[in-house]
Structures are given as C-alpha cells and as structure tokens.
Amino acid sequence: MAEAVLIDFFGLKFNSQKNSHQALLKTLNAVRYHHAAKAKFLCIMCCNNISCERNGANNNCELEASNGLSTLLREFETVSNPSMAASLYTIKQKIDEKNLSSIKVIVPMHRKTLLKAFIDQLFTNVYSFEFEDLQVTSGGGPLKQSTEINMITAQEIEAIQNEIQTHLRSLPALKGELTIITSPLISDTFLHGFTTRTGGISYIPTLSSFNLFSSSKRRDPKIVVQENLRRLGNAAGFNVEKFYRIKTDHANDVWIMGRKEPESYDGITTNQRGVTIAALAADCIPIVFADPVRKACGVAHSGWKGTLLGVAMATVNAMITEYGCSLEDIIAVLGPSVGPCCFTLPRESAKGFHNLDPECVRLFDSPNPYVDIRKGTRILLERGGILPQNIQDLNQDLGLCTSCHPDKFFSHVRDGLNFGTQIGFISIRE
C-alpha cells in the first residue's frame, strides 16, 4: 500500500466549470476511498494560474471550487507552481519530511512518460513508484486528455534537466555560508580546500546542506549534488567539468590520471593543470598532497582499513614514480575526520594500530578500544619519508572532530547510514 499518493492535475484541460468539478469530485472521492486510511500524504499537483503552458498546450488547472469540492480538497495538500520542477521538488521535500518512500502517482495517460522523466532526475532508488492512469470523463465530457506518449527525446530530457537545474540554482544556501578550509602549507600553485556541511541546498537533516555525494541508497539525487558542486566550483575557482573523485573501496589502489582508470581506488594523482581531484569523507581522512617543485598533486581517502593498508604512502609513491617527485618536497594535509574521542574498533581490528604504535589506541584491553587513525596516518607518512614539518593535521590545529561538530561536518559514526559527505580537493592552477 502506498504511503503517499500524488495526483497530477498539471495537464488537465477544463471546459465547463460545473462539470469539471463533478469529475474532480468523483476522482478525488475515489482516491480518498482507496488510500486515505493508510496513506500518510495525499497531494494534488497543478499549475498556479489559469494559463500555465507546456509544450504549446494551454493546461488550465484552477482548483477554486464549489462547496463540495472545497470540503474534499481540505483532505489533500495542493502544490501549485507554473514550473513542474519546482512543484515536484516541493512535493519531494514534503515526502522526505515524513520519511516516506512508497509513492503512487495518478497521472493522465499522456503525461505519464514526461512525469517519469522528471521523477528519474529528482528521486533515487530509495523510493518506489507505482503509476495509475487518471480516469476522467472524455469524449465530449468536461475533462479531455490527449493520447499516451510513450517516447521522450534526448532534447526533451535535456530540457527537463535544464528546468530542474534552473530551479535548484534559485534556492538559497542552507545552514550558513559555503566554507572552505585551506592550509598555509600549500602554495598558490594549487587550488585546494576541505569543505564543511554549510552553504548547500541539500535539506535532508543528515545530508544538509553541502552534501557532495549521491548514491542509490541516499535521498539526495545526483542533480542536487551537482548543484552543490557547481557552487563549490564557483567559490573555489575550479572547472566542475574537469572534476574527478575517488571511487572508494577502503583499500590502497591509486589511479594515476592518464592511465587506465581502475574500477575502484582510494587515491588519485595528477600533474595536469586545471583538473580537480577529490577525496570523499565523512569520518575517514581526506588527505591532500602537493609538490610545488614538480607541480604534481594527489588525494587519498584514508579510513581505518586504508590507513593500515598504507593508502597515504601508496599515493606518495605514485607521485614519486610517475612525476619524479622528491619526498622532501611533498606536502601532506590531513583534512577533517573523526578523532580518537569518538572512534572505536573491535579489539581485534584495533590490534593493527596498537602494533603500529601503542599510542594510537586508548583502552586497548576493552572490547572496543578508542583508535586514533590520524596519529597512525602521520606515523606512516613520517616513516615513509615525508618531513614532519610538511605534514599538517587540521583536526589537531583547529580542534575539529567530524563526529563532535554536527554544525560543521557530516559523520557516519554520529549519523548512521544516511550520512552526508564532505571532500578534500586540489588542482594545479592553469
């Protein structure tokens, strides 16, 4: 049974107001009879004026109604907007506020393909949709429908994406201004930074607001994340068309740009100007590397597994092998991550850090000792030959732990599976 029911009146054409109201009464009564008992959200979507046009058609949809229809409409939430993108985005917000995922869409036959195309852009696989034809009288009756359209062209898909993007660009930033944390160790040869959770448009509580990763398991669609990334590119000064992020596997594989891209990797290196590379994180450490002498850079995603597997030095070694970098020239900046105050591992997993250095583990004899993945990363970098003065630990310098600061950072430890993602990024200026 659907948790939410959406009725699309966006494309209906009205002839006689009296007859139209009778048809609407019949339709809405049927929906209420079949769904009101179990559905937690009943919604009507329509234009907000009498001459809303789409594809040259005059789609009149006015719901100021007679007494009977007015009474019935109080049981439905009406979303009115001349933009389909704005209407559906508003409806998605209302569905997400109620944490619903099973949705029935009752839509005129000729609009089903179009509506599905909008839904594909705005919703992820978290949601399930069931479609039902909107049954209204035809053949000279009060409401007329066109025939079903089964195909949608690439140009129409592009137009839908443009309409959604235009709406998203109009939205205000949430939770404050966009903030980029930078390191004084990295020279102006590079653009770089670490994001926080403020200044984006994502509204899901655990993703709000500057979430920079979309997946089928999250409610933030790709097009929203792309808007957040666009805003970051504008603020930082990089080209989002040349933006590449790691494909996390919690291991130690590194992609050297210019070579064949692996299926997954937790490090990237490049010496290409104008290309921005990024490491994702939500408690794991995003590490940024820069060599101002050889003008090369890298990023690594270092969780507890990747730390023990040596992903940080694997990235450094790729820079040395591929670009002729020297250990004494490489700068390493450890971005915001979970601190030893909040991160625990089962004792068996914590042994690797205890073997690395007992100071990496607190309460080692307990079932779930506290582990300092940052100290472990620094130790491995120094043992690998990176100069201590060329390593900056932002957690230590700024007193930041991702789990301890819900106002500033996303955290898997704190927020659970539906967590947001921040990044560390770097590029060589063109």
Side-chain angles (χ1 to χ4, degrees):
M1 181 65 70
E3 298 171 315
V5 179
L6 168 62
I7 309 171
D8 174 28
F9 284 161
F10 217 92
L12 295 182
K13 301 176 184 179
F14 289 75
N15 293 335
S16 162
Q17 183 175 347
K18 181 178 178 181
N19 290 339
S20 295
H21 288 174
Q22 290 175 350
L24 288 171
L25 270 169
K26 184 177 180 180
T27 299
L28 296 178
N29 269 317
V31 172
R32 182 179 62 172
Y33 175 79
H34 289 292
H35 298 286
K38 294 190 176 181
K40 299 175 183 178
F41 179 59
L42 300 175
C43 181
I44 294 168
M45 179 174 68
C46 67
C47 297
N48 69 349
N49 58 59
I50 200 166
S51 59
C52 179
E53 296 186 0
R54 172 172 288 279
N55 297 331
N58 188 23
N59 297 329
N60 300 332
C61 180
E62 185 175 327
L63 293 181
E64 280 74 19
S66 60
N67 288 338
L69 185 55
S70 294
T71 301
L72 184 56
L73 282 172
R74 294 191 190 104
E75 300 186 31
F76 293 78
E77 187 153 350
T78 301
V79 174
S80 302
N81 198 296
S83 161
M84 271 282 290
S87 293
L88 273 176
Y89 193 74
T90 299
I91 290 166
K92 182 180 184 297
Q93 286 179 293
K94 294 177 182 295
I95 287 171
D96 288 335
E97 285 171 5
K98 300 176 185 294
N99 199 32
L100 309 179
S101 57
S102 176
I103 305 158
K104 170 169 276 192
V105 181
I106 303 174
V107 54
M109 186 184 302
H110 71 285
R111 280 177 52 81
K112 188 185 298 183
T113 301
L114 177 71
L115 194 56
K116 282 182 176 180
F118 271 94
I119 287 171
D120 286 345
Q121 296 292 323
L122 284 170
F123 292 82
T124 68
N125 289 347
V126 168
Y127 310 86
S128 61
F129 286 89
E130 176 187 354
F131 291 86
E132 180 181 307
D133 291 340
L134 178 59
Q135 300 297 328
V136 291
T137 56
S138 58
L143 298 176
K144 294 182 179 179
Q145 300 185 79
S146 304
T147 57
E148 183 173 6
I149 301 171
N150 292 317
M151 296 278 296
I152 191 163
T153 66
Q155 287 180 325
E156 288 171 324
I157 292 289
E158 185 178 355
I160 288 168
Q161 291 172 336
N162 289 338
E163 181 178 329
I164 296 172
Q165 289 166 351
T166 297
H167 175 65
L168 296 181
R169 289 181 183 187
S170 73
L171 298 177
L174 303 175
K175 286 186 175 289
E177 296 182 356
L178 196 161
T179 301
I180 301 172
I181 302 169
T182 59
S183 167
L185 291 185
I186 295 182
S187 72
D188 287 341
T189 301
F190 305 91
L191 286 173
H192 82 284
F194 299 89
T195 62
T196 71
R197 70 178 302 168
T198 63
I201 63 168
S202 303
Y203 59 79
I204 305 291
T206 56
L207 304 179
S208 181
S209 67
F210 207 65
N211 174 43
L212 288 168
F213 182 66
S214 176
S215 78
S216 60
K217 297 178 181 179
R218 299 187 190 181
R219 289 177 177 257
D220 240 5
K222 183 178 179 181
I223 202 163
V224 167
V225 171
Q226 287 173 332
E227 171 57 20
N228 286 339
L229 181 61
R230 186 193 69 82
R231 296 185 184 203
L232 176 61
N234 285 348
F238 65 75
N239 182 357
V240 296
E241 300 299 324
K242 296 180 179 179
F243 177 86
Y244 299 87
R245 61 172 181 80
I246 61 164
K247 295 182 179 178
T248 305
D249 192 37
H250 296 277
N252 61 359
D253 288 337
V254 178
W255 177 33
I256 298 170
M257 291 196 71
R259 295 190 181 182
K260 183 179 179 182
E261 182 181 1
E263 288 187 10
S264 62
Y265 44 91
D266 287 82
I268 310 177
T269 66
T270 187
N271 64 350
Q272 299 176 30
R273 293 181 179 273
V275 172
T276 302
I277 54 178
L280 311 180
D283 280 325
C284 301
I285 312 170
I287 310 175
V288 165
F289 300 93
D291 180 350
V293 177
R294 302 299 296 181
K295 293 183 174 54
C297 58
V299 293
H301 161 266
S302 187
W304 73 267
K305 291 181 181 178
T307 297
L308 293 178
L309 289 171
V311 67
M313 280 308 300
T315 307
V316 168
N317 289 331
M319 292 174 65
I320 293 170
T321 301
E322 192 69 15
Y323 315 122
C325 298
S326 298
L327 281 168
E328 59 267 24
D329 296 326
I330 295 176
I331 305 295
V333 181
L334 280 60
S337 76
V338 68
C341 48
C342 298
F343 185 63
T344 63
L345 284 174
R347 190 170 185 275
E348 194 62 31
S349 299
K351 281 183 180 179
F353 287 90
H354 192 267
N355 293 338
L356 181 62
D357 189 317
E359 290 190 4
C360 291
V361 184
R362 182 164 54 90
L363 303 177
F364 180 62
D365 292 331
S366 67
N368 295 286
Y370 288 86
V371 173
D372 190 341
I373 60 173
R374 305 181 68 82
K375 183 182 287 291
T377 298
R378 175 181 272 276
I379 288 169
L380 288 170
L381 285 170
E382 290 185 7
R383 288 181 184 176
I386 301 295
L387 300 178
Q389 63 268 30
N390 284 350
I391 303 171
Q392 183 180 15
D393 184 337
L394 288 178
N395 272 38
Q396 186 177 41
D397 291 355
L398 302 178
L400 299 177
C401 160
T402 49
S403 182
C404 287
H405 292 83
D407 57 325
K408 292 183 175 68
F409 300 109
F410 301 113
S411 170
H412 182 199
V413 169
R414 182 189 65 237
D415 297 333
L417 292 177
N418 198 33
F419 59 93
T421 299
Q422 52 253 345
I423 67 170
F425 65 91
I426 190 167
S427 63
I428 307 165
R429 293 181 188 270
E430 291 187 282

